[in-house]
Amino acid sequence: MDFLDLAKKRFSVRKFIDKPIEEDKILKILEAGRIAPTAVNYQPQRILVVKDPRNLAKLEEARRIFGATLALVVCANHDESWKRSFDNKDFADVDASIITDHMMLQATELGLGSVWISSFDPALLIDLFNIPNNFEAINILAIGYPVESIPLAASSPDRHNVARKPLSETVFYETF
């Protein structure tokens, strides 16, 4: 599949069927995150894999995961992340986002659905899963097999023609 076709195929799934994801698919998704680029290749990411139904229920206390049978809590170690020397910008969140995007697209290629979750209770997540103090939970990637009744408009690759701004509004050449 061509990359743009894959990217257009991906959409946020908010309803999954109760079917566990095969281990080989999980490993392929995690490998996609492992090979993702990070600033100065520091690789500050740590990924908490949650697939046990009891732990998925615990995760639901911090944020709804829409019935996903797999959740990846993408964390970043601020002690290991690269900081830009000019302004000390910490790239931990950028690195974690690149990794999440790679895993999300890999899940799509495997026929799985996903939703990127940023709205969650970080303190509760830290408490529930013993996340160390120097780590920040950046996002949760909920993954699973989507229900078959997803509205066509939500999943249509053509939705980008109306749901996204045209390049003329978002791209500038040589100067703003």
Side-chain angles (χ1 to χ4, degrees):
M1 180 181 303
D2 166 281
F3 177 78
L4 281 177
D5 290 338
L6 175 66
K8 288 178 181 179
K9 182 178 177 184
R10 198 225 67 89
F11 65 97
S12 294
V13 174
R14 291 185 177 85
K15 192 170 183 181
F16 300 94
I17 62 172
D18 186 20
K19 178 183 175 184
I21 298 170
E22 299 83 351
E23 193 63 30
D24 62 318
K25 290 183 179 182
I26 294 171
L27 290 174
K28 199 165 188 179
I29 292 166
L30 293 170
E31 179 66 8
R34 187 185 75 82
I35 66 165
T38 60
V40 193
N41 199 29
Y42 280 12
Q43 304 170 59
Q45 78 276 8
R46 300 297 182 273
I47 300 166
L48 175 63
V49 178
V50 182
K51 60 182 181 172
D52 182 289
R54 292 169 300 205
N55 288 327
L56 289 167
K58 279 175 40 178
L59 186 57
E60 284 274 346
E61 295 177 39
R63 183 59 181 162
R64 183 172 175 215
I65 58 168
F66 307 100
T69 56
L70 173 67
L72 304 177
V73 181
V74 182
C75 302
N77 183 340
H78 289 283
D79 293 341
E80 293 181 8
S81 59
W82 181 70
K83 281 76 171 174
R84 184 169 49 204
S85 63
F86 297 98
D87 58 0
N88 210 33
K89 160 70 175 149
D90 186 338
F91 276 75
D93 56 338
V94 175
D95 291 341
S97 295
I98 294 167
I99 288 155
T100 303
D101 193 58
H102 271 58
M103 293 190 301
M104 187 171 55
L105 290 169
Q106 180 61 69
T108 301
E109 197 262 339
L110 292 170
L112 299 166
S114 66
V115 61
W116 181 315
I117 301 167
S118 297
S119 175
F120 55 84
D121 182 342
L124 184 55
L125 207 58
I126 288 166
D127 186 49
L128 290 171
F129 293 99
N130 302 312
I131 298 172
N133 290 336
N134 55 323
F135 286 87
E136 178 184 4
I138 305 294
N139 60 62
I140 301 167
L141 185 61
I143 304 172
Y145 289 95
V147 298
E148 304 234 350
S149 61
I150 293 174
L152 183 58
S155 62
S156 169
D158 297 328
R159 73 190 182 283
H160 299 97
N161 296 336
V162 293
R164 296 287 189 266
K165 294 179 181 179
L167 287 176
S168 62
E169 291 183 30
T170 61
V171 177
F172 300 85
Y173 291 90
E174 310 305 336
T175 185
F176 262 82

